[in-house]
Structure formats: C-alpha cells, structure tokens
Amino acid sequence: MHPTLATSVLTTALLLASLPLASACSPYVEGSPDPAYAVFRAHGSAFESCEVSEETYRRVLAQWLQSRPPESARLVSLSLGRARDYPWISRHLADSARGGSEWSDHGRQIPPGRQNTLVAKLLSDTTFLQRLDAPFVGTALMVRGVAVEKVLLGAASDYSAGGQTAKKAKVPYDAQLWLRIVPRE
C-alpha cells in the first residue's frame, strides 16, 4: 500500500473512531423551577432529532406523573415543543386541516395569528384531546386544550394522508405546543 494512501486510511479510521456513537432517543419530562410547568423532551441532546410515538408519549408522561410527589404544586402547563417531533400529532394536524372547512386550500391566505387559533382548535377537538389526555387518566389532572404558536405550513401532498390534493394546497404540520392542564372533573 502506498504510504500516502495508508496515512489517509489510518487518519479516516481514527476520525471515525473518535466520533460519538449514535445514541437512542431517550424522551423524558423535565420539571421547571416553577412546579406548575414542565417540558416533555424528545431527547437529552438538543442536537439530535428524535420522534416520539404516541405510545412513548403515553408511557413517559404516565411514569413522570406517577413519580410526582402528591404535595407538588398543581401542573397547569406542559410544553411538548414542536409538533413535528410527534409524527402522530403532525399527521393529525395536517389531515384535520386538509379536511376542515375553516382551512383554506391556500393556507398562506390565512394571517399567522389566525393560523395559531385554527391549529389550536384542530388540536383541541374532543376526540384528539382524549388521546393527549390518556397519560393523565387515573390522576387528578386532565388536558383541557392546546396552546399554539409559530405554525409552519407545508404542501398537503407531503404532510397529509391519502387522496389527491391541489398542488398549491398548504396545511399546518408543525407548531410550538403546550398542553393546558386543569383539575379532572
């Protein structure tokens, strides 16, 4: 083997060996200094992109809720971060907007402030709220609604399931999300 090629191969091998191994996603719930608020994190590293399945969301949140001391302040808000980190939420959002009468086929015509309101309404549908509330069942808390900001739009053909869609049709697929938590009725 030529000395330059051998050096190049050795340098590449050393570089690859020094890179950290890819770690599995490790979602968790992080408390805040104010115990009325918490954040669901998809992973311990902000530099890694991880998707959270509905089953993982339910399991991690239920475990965290069970571990909270009974004397803790009442939880009023749980940040989920970006909808796109939860493919099941993102897909529900795009599909609901595509099928909804209030959402324009050209989503860009809706002012951004109105987009937030419409997306919050789509995610606060009773049936979908039950899915978000599943980890809270059996506790003194329940999910009452979803607060939204920074809605992102994309081609319906990329984010919505099935069917033919006009080429210019836009749907929401991502936003910053917070669950509004209230005492269970």
Side-chain angles (χ1 to χ4, degrees):
M1 183 179 280
H2 191 271
T4 306
L5 179 60
T7 302
S8 179
V9 168
L10 181 59
T11 302
T12 302
L14 289 173
L15 178 63
L16 289 173
S18 70
L19 294 175
L21 294 174
S23 59
C25 294
S26 51
Y28 65 99
V29 178
E30 176 181 76
S32 75
D34 182 341
Y37 302 92
V39 179
F40 191 108
R41 303 272 186 207
H43 191 52
S45 169
F47 300 106
E48 294 186 48
S49 177
C50 290
E51 293 183 345
V52 178
S53 69
E54 187 168 359
E55 185 276 324
T56 298
Y57 160 82
R58 288 178 179 195
R59 178 181 46 79
V60 169
L61 191 49
Q63 288 172 349
W64 180 77
L65 288 165
Q66 290 173 358
S67 72
R68 281 186 93 215
E71 67 277 359
S72 295
R74 185 175 67 80
L75 185 66
V76 297
S77 180
L78 176 72
S79 170
L80 294 182
R82 299 186 69 171
R84 75 174 189 180
D85 292 338
Y86 305 81
W88 54 282
I89 294 176
S90 183
R91 176 57 58 101
H92 171 80
L93 180 56
D95 290 347
S96 296
R98 183 172 165 264
S101 60
E102 292 183 328
W103 198 267
S104 165
D105 279 341
H106 307 285
R108 294 196 191 284
Q109 295 174 352
I110 300 173
R114 179 84 174 122
Q115 291 174 6
N116 292 346
T117 302
L118 290 175
V119 166
K121 185 177 178 182
L122 292 173
L123 294 177
S124 294
D125 167 73
T126 303
T127 303
F128 194 70
L129 276 183
Q130 289 174 348
R131 292 170 67 184
L132 293 171
D133 185 56
F136 293 87
V137 171
T139 73
L141 303 171
M142 66 183 280
V143 176
R144 172 57 56 98
V146 181
V148 173
E149 72 175 32
K150 300 179 183 172
V151 172
L152 296 180
L153 304 176
S157 58
D158 292 339
Y159 297 103
S160 183
Q164 296 288 31
T165 305
K167 291 185 187 245
K168 291 185 180 182
K170 301 284 185 185
V171 293
Y173 70 94
D174 193 14
Q176 291 290 330
L177 307 175
W178 292 264
L179 300 182
R180 290 186 6 246
I181 312 298
V182 298
R184 188 163 296 278
E185 298 169 346

